[in-house]
Amino acid sequence: MTHKRALLTVSAGIAGLAGVALATAGQTDTAQAATQTATITYKDGGTTVWGTTDYTQPKSYVSYQQQVDVYGSKTVGSTTWYLVGDNAWIPAEYVSLNNQAVEQAPKPVEVAPSNDQQTQNTTNTQTPQTPTNTQTPATDQSAGTTDQTKAQQVIALAEQQIGKPYVWGGKGPANFDCSGLMQYVFKNAANVDVGGWTVPQESAGTQIAVNQAQPGDMLFWGDKGSTYHVALYIGNGQYINAPVPGKNVEIDSISPYFAPSFAVRVL
């Protein structure tokens, strides 16, 4: 993981969260005036800032011990959310309030639909999507089988690196950073050069949605052109990555508080 890029991305993502955010016409979750501040408490990576309270629209990321303004809160099911900007929400379990009083965010005003509008269902009970392992048969079955075999070889080599330390700029085999691990396993297991850091690796294959990822695809965190973390998807909602300094290459699970932004299929 390239930390200069990570800091730039986090700074850009949180720019609208510190201070008074600009209200946007037509949006209901607008920040009016901060009621207090809070501190991000999740240590093992970035915490996702969501555009909705159903885990379906990641907007940006904030880092451990970062300060954010809190404009209100609401509870959806068993989860309490804090409003930290216009349409910007963080689950309460990942922050610590710096004082106790929090105003509840106002409920949206319901407007009767016009005759040519269909009634919208405002209750969203979706849970975070995890990639499925169902693969679409390739037209050329022999080529598809070869690619699947290579993908499994890439995963097998990545598994052999588990436990090796994260070192910024590490390209293996003794240590790795996140992009160095991807470069090493694809080059040595599939003879594919995906590039040496996250941004070139974005273009190493076909971009797909995270919920379409298959084992052997790469997962990226951040906007295209400024990604700050990459990992290898291995199936069942899990990925292998070199996370942060002080930790080793490990298997992690896709979760709502640190959700990848998109995936890339190389093989």
Side-chain angles (χ1 to χ4, degrees), residues 56-144:
T56 59
Q57 297 181 23
K59 294 186 66 173
S60 58
Y61 301 88
V62 288
S63 57
Y64 174 56
Q65 291 190 333
Q66 186 163 339
Q67 301 292 305
V68 296
D69 289 336
V70 176
Y71 299 89
S73 70
K74 68 178 178 182
T75 300
V76 180
S78 60
T79 302
T80 298
W81 294 78
Y82 291 140
L83 181 65
V84 296
D86 285 348
N87 295 302
W89 295 91
I90 297 177
E93 61 185 302
Y94 304 119
V95 303
S96 175
L97 296 176
N98 297 332
N99 56 61
Q100 295 302 314
V102 184
E103 295 180 0
Q104 289 291 316
K107 294 182 179 180
V109 177
E110 295 185 2
V111 179
S114 60
N115 292 335
D116 59 348
Q117 289 179 317
Q118 295 182 349
T119 302
Q120 299 293 319
N121 181 1
T122 59
T123 302
N124 193 328
T125 57
Q126 292 181 336
T127 55
Q129 291 182 318
T130 55
T132 61
N133 294 334
T134 303
Q135 297 183 351
T136 302
T139 302
D140 183 344
Q141 293 186 354
S142 61

